[in-house]
Amino acid sequence: MSEVALLGNPNTGKTSLFNRLTRSYETVGNWSGVTVEKKVGVLRGRGGRIVDLPGLYSLLPLTEDEGVAARFLMEESPASILNIVDASQLERNLYLTIQLLECGRPMLIGLNMVDVARSRNITVNAALLQQELGVPVVSIVARKGTGCADVLQALRGLAQSKESSFRIDYGPVIESGVTRISERLSRAIAASSAHIRWTALQLLEGNEAVRSSLSESDVLDDLDGLIAETSQQLRLAGEESDVPAYLRKIRTERITQICAVALDRSAQRIHTATERIDAVLTHRLIGIPLFLALMFLIFKLTFDWLGSLLSDQLDGLISGTLSGWISSALDGLGASAFTHALVVDGMVGGVGGVLVFLPQICILFLLISFIEDSGYMARITLLMDRTMEAVGLSGKAFIPFIIGFGCNVPAIMAARTMEQRKDRLLTTLLVPLMSCSARLPVYALFAGVFFASDQALVVMGLYLMGMVLALALAKLFSRTLMKSEPSLFVVELPPYRMPQLLSLLRMTWEKVKGFLRKAGTIILAGSVIIWFLSNTGSSGFGVDMNDSFLASIGGALSGILVPIGFGTWQAGAALITGFMAKEVVVSTMNIIYQVPDMAGLEHQVAMAFTPLQAFSFIAFILLYIPCLATVGVIRKETSSWRWTFFSMGYSLVLAYAVAIVIYQGGRLIGLT
Ligand SMILES: Nc1nc2c(ncn2[C@@H]2O[C@H](COP(=O)(O)OP(=O)(O)OP(=O)(O)O)[C@@H](O)[C@H]2O)c(=O)[nH]1
Ligand SMILES: [Mg+2]
């Protein structure tokens, strides 16, 4: 099947178009670096496959995610290219377009964001652009779906079409160098003449990815000689810049010519709305307080105003109606007492106990999606840059941190967008300190019982604690464990966009779906295991829970938990099982305390903990160990067991230290 590669600058709407063309729902967001992995989809109407890729500014990859796109182009040789170009930033987007054209594949240009361009009085003449570039250009508004049918239509004939006639003349010195390099190359690799010319140009420009793709043949030595020769001749010809800079200069000149023909910016309006909003939101003094206020508002909505209200209703539905219905259905089927207990106490108790917090999770996800899609995300990194820089991190690390509030797994993958290995590693190690939504049920339960009047404040305190500790540890780790590399910080500030309700709801649903899937798999499995362990002991099934295996497992831990305030086997067991997924902490408590509903659980929890112990417990849950899925992705992204174990180890030590300070410190000043 023919394969189309979606390539273009970051944040130009590639994924938006991909979703339209394939009926997928991959994440889109208004900042650069949303997509960090390749995603394959099937074109609507039997058209072959299309691959969505991370954005890139040029074919010389700077970051891990750009590398994914550049390598895909070189190694997997897609049959054709769909290049997305942002019409409101044509000049800058064309730089990549030119390199893609030189690559000599059949190519289609999707001229996206024409609505944005129009609103700013920027006119791009698609027909003239098509003439200049020699490949078809289709105007689209990917977000609304306008023009997507034309893209599908144009893609159909594309793979068979001849390659573009586009060609830049780089002047006699470079051209003769390219000819000689091409001759040598064509003896070593089999490729079309356009592709050979492109390879020669990329080598002259110093593209490491192209170089390493040739490392297996023995041409590199010869080529290096030719490259050095060309560079010397360019100098002799009186050119001041080196070869890569010279190539860039020629390309930029060509872009200027193209734009003189196809682009009209004479009536352009500068983006005043965005600038006016930014004057406030990214203000040096009030920017950060505004961000904190927004966070507080989010927690107020999630916990105090809406979430708990809805979650009480849902609890009534699950533990009352649904549970009763399942119970009588089981009775009707003549199920044994064993099955009855397994289903009602184990499964419904364990999974239902977590599901009641669905409303809080939905609201939080909706609000995070709003931040992602509005353009505010990039501003937060700008605001935090100085603080981040001070602790040895790149400002860009704040994006993974915020994504981490939803789930740590995609957050760690988002670290790929950072240029320096040190920044990526530090971010990967610290993201687990960001309080993800899986920890939310635990907070909601405990804050509801012990800190009912200031839930939002307590929960926000926990989130901030995670962030402050992450910054402190960044300082510590970057001083002690890592070679110092100066961080690069280049952030694109996209224009603000009013998120569309439908796409917000869809983004939220995608995240909620992940949570529901988890409830149906790992939380369900965990609940069944916990139920068995809590009912089985050395003398067999049906023992008193205090003699169960679960009690022995949890009890083994309780000794070391005494100094931090919760030295019970129940707490120990909840912590161990919570490693599977943090929600399982709540499932475990539901099963252990054998409660009929949330009110029952709240009562039991109120008996088992004092407020000080409860706070120590939730702080411990926030910090203690990344969940199984997060550990998996840390291993994958760092390719190192050492760093993976380090991240588990340091978080355990940190959690213990913080909990001791809270509990013992609290007791010293007379709290209970
Ligand atoms: N106004 C307008 N907005 C668009 C259009 N296409 C996409 N967007 C918005 O632009 C932002 C970026 O869209 P994405 O599809 O995530 O862009 P991308 O190219 O995949 O970005 P990366 O994965 O970061 O490279 C989102 O906020 C979209 O809603 C369009 O045609 N018009
Ligand atoms: Mg994308």
Side-chain angles (χ1 to χ4, degrees), residues 3 115 273 306 334 390 448 580:
E3 195 167 60
D115 57 333
L306 272 174
M580 284 191 275

PDB file of all heavy atoms in Angstrom, residues 3 115 273 306 334 390 448 580:
ATOM      1  N   GLU A   3       2.236   4.850   0.904  1.00  0.00           N
ATOM      2  CA  GLU A   3       2.275   5.510   2.192  1.00  0.00           C
ATOM      3  C   GLU A   3       2.593   6.991   2.014  1.00  0.00           C
ATOM      4  O   GLU A   3       3.506   7.341   1.283  1.00  0.00           O
ATOM      5  CB  GLU A   3       3.353   4.846   3.035  1.00  0.00           C
ATOM      6  CG  GLU A   3       3.278   5.185   4.482  1.00  0.00           C
ATOM      7  CD  GLU A   3       4.165   4.248   5.296  1.00  0.00           C
ATOM      8  OE1 GLU A   3       5.377   4.233   5.050  1.00  0.00           O
ATOM      9  OE2 GLU A   3       3.631   3.546   6.156  1.00  0.00           O
ATOM     10  N   ASP A 115      -7.642  30.470   7.125  1.00  0.00           N
ATOM     11  CA  ASP A 115      -8.562  31.336   7.884  1.00  0.00           C
ATOM     12  C   ASP A 115      -7.786  32.338   8.730  1.00  0.00           C
ATOM     13  O   ASP A 115      -8.123  33.515   8.792  1.00  0.00           O
ATOM     14  CB  ASP A 115      -9.505  30.495   8.746  1.00  0.00           C
ATOM     15  CG  ASP A 115      -8.754  29.578   9.721  1.00  0.00           C
ATOM     16  OD1 ASP A 115      -7.601  29.202   9.410  1.00  0.00           O
ATOM     17  OD2 ASP A 115      -9.311  29.251  10.781  1.00  0.00           O
ATOM     18  N   ALA A 273      -4.814  41.174  19.046  1.00  0.00           N
ATOM     19  CA  ALA A 273      -5.533  40.534  20.154  1.00  0.00           C
ATOM     20  C   ALA A 273      -4.547  39.734  20.992  1.00  0.00           C
ATOM     21  O   ALA A 273      -4.459  39.899  22.218  1.00  0.00           O
ATOM     22  CB  ALA A 273      -6.628  39.628  19.623  1.00  0.00           C
ATOM     23  N   LEU A 306     -17.921  21.826  41.686  1.00  0.00           N
ATOM     24  CA  LEU A 306     -18.652  20.899  40.828  1.00  0.00           C
ATOM     25  C   LEU A 306     -18.397  19.438  41.146  1.00  0.00           C
ATOM     26  O   LEU A 306     -19.306  18.644  41.335  1.00  0.00           O
ATOM     27  CB  LEU A 306     -18.219  21.144  39.371  1.00  0.00           C
ATOM     28  CG  LEU A 306     -18.988  22.184  38.600  1.00  0.00           C
ATOM     29  CD1 LEU A 306     -18.321  22.394  37.258  1.00  0.00           C
ATOM     30  CD2 LEU A 306     -20.422  21.710  38.398  1.00  0.00           C
ATOM     31  N   GLY A 334     -28.650 -17.611  40.767  1.00  0.00           N
ATOM     32  CA  GLY A 334     -28.268 -18.655  41.714  1.00  0.00           C
ATOM     33  C   GLY A 334     -26.778 -18.702  41.974  1.00  0.00           C
ATOM     34  O   GLY A 334     -26.203 -19.764  42.191  1.00  0.00           O
ATOM     35  N   ALA A 390      17.233  28.821  36.621  1.00  0.00           N
ATOM     36  CA  ALA A 390      17.962  28.943  37.874  1.00  0.00           C
ATOM     37  C   ALA A 390      18.237  27.584  38.503  1.00  0.00           C
ATOM     38  O   ALA A 390      19.208  27.422  39.233  1.00  0.00           O
ATOM     39  CB  ALA A 390      17.193  29.826  38.849  1.00  0.00           C
ATOM     40  N   GLY A 448     -11.687  15.163  51.369  1.00  0.00           N
ATOM     41  CA  GLY A 448     -13.123  15.224  51.658  1.00  0.00           C
ATOM     42  C   GLY A 448     -13.414  14.892  53.116  1.00  0.00           C
ATOM     43  O   GLY A 448     -14.285  15.482  53.747  1.00  0.00           O
ATOM     44  N   MET A 580       0.742  -0.627  41.179  1.00  0.00           N
ATOM     45  CA  MET A 580       0.127  -1.010  39.898  1.00  0.00           C
ATOM     46  C   MET A 580      -0.446   0.203  39.188  1.00  0.00           C
ATOM     47  O   MET A 580      -0.292   0.403  37.997  1.00  0.00           O
ATOM     48  CB  MET A 580      -1.002  -2.002  40.147  1.00  0.00           C
ATOM     49  CG  MET A 580      -0.508  -3.387  40.449  1.00  0.00           C
ATOM     50  SD  MET A 580      -1.869  -4.548  40.410  1.00  0.00           S
ATOM     51  CE  MET A 580      -2.496  -4.374  42.046  1.00  0.00           C
TER      52      MET A 580
END
